[in-house]
Amino acid sequence: MSLRLLKASYCILLLLLALLMGAIPAFAQDLVQTAAVVKVGPSIAISSPTAISKDRNGNLYFLAANRSLLRIDSLGKPLGNFSPPTRGRIASIDAWNPMKILLFYEDRQELLLLDRFLRPVANTTLQDQNYTGTAKAAALAADDNFWLFDETNLTLSKLDLQLRKITIDTPLNLILDKERFNVRQLREYQNMVYLLDANGIFVFDNLGNYKKKLPFAGVNFIDFLNNELYFVQNGTLHFVNLYTSETRTLQLPSNYVTALASDARLYLFAVKQLDIYTLH
């Protein structure tokens, strides 16, 4: 074979490889993490694997078997609890800001704020704020207002408690499947708003403008670690970089459904228990 023919064949091979690499979606380029996980301490009984949260100091919040709110440190040591004085189901916890912890009662359409000592400092029903919809999910905004998803009108709204009115109202009927939508969580992180639906994760800016959809279906709960979004799907923990879309995965040691994570520990939730693992 001539040298010219060899060079041509080599160029064709490089071109084919480049085309193949370019055809692989960014979300499919997974880095499988092989770090070992070691369980620490006994399992902790819980009542919900999705009413969970982690603050910026690394403390965890979840509902005990009796539905009271518990806070533990990164090692599992108890740091306090809150027993709601009234009946109601806490649908979600937003504790990223440990000075202002949000408990959302979906059945009562109530927002309850706790301080860093887990003492109630403010509470209101959405009806008292002239909110006419039915909120399925709620989250704290960086400006101390509240993000709400209205399942009646399919809108993402921001509620200003001082003004007692909606200041942002984004219709979602063009991006959510009216027949199949099942919104499970709202969360603001790094000036973006993430709406978790059974069919994917919808991303908005902090003015409520729709930006994109992350194609991960069947996810029960999302959280964030540094510049990554993470979630459990089919027994695997997925991390997605918020800015490059690169992903990495970690196979979990058991059938867990949700997770909270730090740089050195994993907090894995089954339906009725929490287990703490260290990463090695």
Side-chain angles (χ1 to χ4, degrees):
M1 184 179 292
S2 67
L3 180 60
R4 179 178 297 178
L5 185 58
L6 281 172
K7 288 182 177 179
S9 300
Y10 181 69
C11 291
I12 291 173
L13 179 60
L14 288 178
L15 179 61
L16 288 173
L17 287 174
L19 290 173
L20 286 173
M21 289 299 292
I24 300 175
F27 289 112
Q29 298 176 13
D30 283 352
L31 173 64
V32 179
Q33 189 171 329
T34 58
V37 292
V38 178
K39 189 172 183 292
V40 178
S43 299
I44 302 172
I46 64 171
S47 61
S48 170
T50 55
I52 58 178
S53 189
K54 178 168 63 72
D55 67 29
R56 58 168 56 100
N57 296 327
N59 301 316
L60 273 67
Y61 302 74
F62 57 90
L63 300 180
N66 63 359
R67 295 189 177 275
S68 62
L69 176 71
L70 296 185
R71 176 170 60 193
I72 61 175
D73 67 10
S74 61
L75 300 176
K77 178 183 176 181
L79 293 179
N81 68 88
F82 168 69
S83 297
T86 59
R87 293 184 178 181
R89 186 178 67 85
I90 299 174
S92 64
I93 306 166
D94 189 344
W96 178 246
N97 179 358
M99 309 297 290
K100 184 176 290 187
I101 302 159
L102 171 64
L103 306 181
F104 172 56
Y105 292 82
E106 181 186 351
D107 54 352
R108 299 166 56 91
Q109 293 287 282
E110 180 180 351
L111 304 171
L112 174 62
L113 291 176
L114 308 179
D115 65 12
R116 63 191 180 95
F117 301 108
L118 301 183
R119 299 178 306 199
V121 291
N123 75 293
T124 185
T125 65
L126 296 179
Q127 184 178 9
D128 291 339
Q129 299 298 318
N130 301 316
Y131 185 79
T132 58
T134 302
K136 177 69 174 179
L140 275 171
D143 59 4
D144 292 333
N145 292 312
F146 300 89
W147 291 105
L148 302 171
F149 169 72
D150 181 356
E151 67 176 353
T152 304
N153 301 313
L154 289 185
T155 58
L156 173 67
S157 305
K158 178 183 275 191
L159 174 65
D160 187 315
L161 289 189
Q162 291 187 346
L163 298 178
R164 296 172 63 86
K165 69 176 186 178
I166 297 296
T167 56
I168 293 176
D169 201 22
T170 303
L172 305 183
N173 57 306
L174 296 181
I175 65 172
L176 284 182
D177 187 333
K178 293 182 180 180
E179 304 300 325
R180 300 175 54 223
F181 84 90
N182 182 6
V183 170
R184 298 171 175 177
Q185 187 184 358
L186 263 177
R187 177 73 188 275
E188 180 175 334
Y189 187 74
Q190 293 186 359
N191 294 318
M192 303 296 283
V193 180
Y194 296 82
L195 185 147
L196 173 63
D197 181 69
N199 304 299
I201 304 167
F202 298 88
V203 185
F204 306 80
D205 64 21
N206 59 3
L207 296 177
N209 299 307
Y210 175 63
K211 307 303 289 184
K212 62 182 177 180
K213 176 185 177 183
L214 305 182
F216 302 106
V219 175
N220 294 313
F221 177 84
I222 60 172
D223 200 51
F224 301 87
L225 178 64
N226 302 321
N227 289 333
E228 291 181 305
L229 175 152
Y230 63 85
F231 55 86
V232 175
Q233 186 182 52
N234 299 324
T236 301
L237 183 59
H238 297 258
F239 293 85
V240 181
N241 189 286
L242 300 175
Y243 304 102
T244 67
S245 297
E246 293 178 345
T247 66
R248 58 189 178 97
T249 60
L250 176 64
Q251 191 66 36
L252 299 181
S254 187
N255 189 28
Y256 296 105
V257 295
T258 57
L260 294 170
S262 67
D263 290 324
R265 293 185 183 272
L266 290 178
Y267 308 91
L268 303 180
F269 295 81
V271 175
K272 293 295 183 181
Q273 73 182 47
L274 159 64
D275 293 319
I276 302 175
Y277 289 83
T278 57
L279 288 170
H280 293 277

